[in-house]
Amino acid sequence: GAGVSQSPSNKVTEKGKDVELRCDPISGHTALYWYRQSLGQGLEFLIYFQGNSAPDKSGLPSDRFSAERTGGSVSTLTIQRTQQEDSAVYLCASSWGPSGRVADTQYFGPGTRLTVL
Amino acid sequence: AQSVTQLGSHVSVSEGALVLLRCNYSSSVPPYLFWYVQYPNQGLQLLLKYTSAATLVKGINGFEAEFKKSETSFHLTKPSAHMSDAAEYFCAVSFPITGGGNKLTFGTGTQLKVEL
């Protein structure tokens, strides 16, 4: 079946512009996660959705970052007024589990490579 | 807090040789541990996971890992390396977060190079 998809695969933007990154999880997966992979910080958790709610936003690095999820499916990560330090690969993952379980496998998408000039 | 440490950011082996990638964890509760592989310009793919059912875990592509509580380790091994194993490998520990999810905390990764 189809895996997690993300778009765009690459995004180049100018400092100060806003960007939107999209994630389409595996059908039926209720949990959705965003992570960031950068040279300096490695892989970092950003935010977790259960359905359309985001009970854990603790990893968002600043108030310029926001995310939403609609219809219990597609999620959009928005970065406002981008900075050069936002350059990274943004990975989305989804997992089964209506209530979430610690051992649940997270399935990752291919990522969006964001470059801020 | 839970964390993992991967020893060796780069490992090089000959084709056909044993692969050993090291991961040590720190956790105040019984951990759930994962190994993921990342090929260039791709996302993370699960190799295997430890969920306390068995200490020796077998995964895809001939990889396995053994959970050793006394050593707080979860090292990844493969008896015979193949060229296609060249990739970056990440060890991760999972713990519960608000709302019923589980957050993965990753190690810094080990780049595996396989030489002829």
Side-chain angles (χ1 to χ4, degrees):
Chain A
V4 178
S5 61
Q6 293 186 244
S7 61
S9 55
N10 281 283
K11 177 72 176 178
V12 180
T13 190
E14 294 180 348
K15 177 182 173 181
K17 301 284 190 183
D18 297 352
V19 295
E20 287 188 351
L21 313 179
R22 176 188 168 108
C23 172
D24 222 317
I26 292 172
S27 178
H29 281 190
T30 60
L32 186 146
Y33 303 81
W34 284 96
Y35 291 84
R36 180 168 72 172
Q37 185 174 25
S38 58
L39 283 176
Q41 303 297 324
L43 274 155
E44 310 170 273
F45 165 83
L46 296 179
I47 187 169
Y48 155 64
F49 285 92
Q50 182 58 247
N52 292 335
S53 300
D56 194 322
K57 306 178 184 180
S58 61
L60 295 178
S62 76
D63 58 9
R64 296 186 295 104
F65 287 71
S66 63
E68 65 175 11
R69 189 178 183 193
T70 55
S73 181
V74 172
S75 176
T76 302
L77 177 68
T78 301
I79 309 173
Q80 296 179 308
R81 305 180 303 282
T82 52
Q83 303 294 313
Q84 288 184 331
E85 61 262 29
D86 299 334
S87 295
V89 176
Y90 290 82
L91 294 166
C92 175
S94 69
S95 68
W96 177 247
S99 61
R101 291 181 294 265
V102 182
D104 273 356
T105 296
Q106 294 182 23
Y107 296 88
F108 284 79
T112 294
R113 182 176 297 278
L114 175 66
T115 303
V116 182
L117 301 177
Chain B
Q2 296 182 311
S3 64
V4 292
T5 302
Q6 291 183 243
L7 296 176
S9 59
H10 292 81
V11 170
S12 183
V13 300
S14 299
E15 191 175 34
L18 171 72
V19 175
L20 170 61
L21 304 182
R22 299 178 186 274
C23 174
N24 288 88
Y25 70 89
S26 172
S27 176
S28 56
V29 297
Y32 293 95
L33 296 161
F34 299 74
W35 274 100
Y36 281 87
V37 61
Q38 186 176 36
Y39 297 100
N41 299 315
Q42 294 187 28
L44 300 169
Q45 179 182 5
L46 180 71
L47 280 176
L48 50 81
K49 66 180 181 182
Y50 168 74
T51 59
S52 77
T55 56
L56 182 61
V57 183
K58 294 188 183 297
I60 63 171
N61 301 339
F63 284 94
E64 61 182 38
E66 186 172 9
F67 175 75
K68 292 187 177 180
K69 184 178 179 180
S70 60
E71 299 178 6
T72 62
S73 69
F74 189 57
H75 301 331
L76 181 71
T77 61
K78 182 174 180 178
S80 177
H82 191 271
M83 296 297 289
S84 61
D85 295 327
E88 189 157 22
Y89 293 79
F90 292 92
C91 182
V93 62
S94 172
F95 62 93
I97 54 177
T98 304
N102 59 302
K103 168 183 170 180
L104 292 173
T105 297
F106 291 89
T108 50
T110 297
Q111 187 71 45
L112 175 66
K113 181 178 180 181
V114 182
E115 299 175 316
L116 287 172

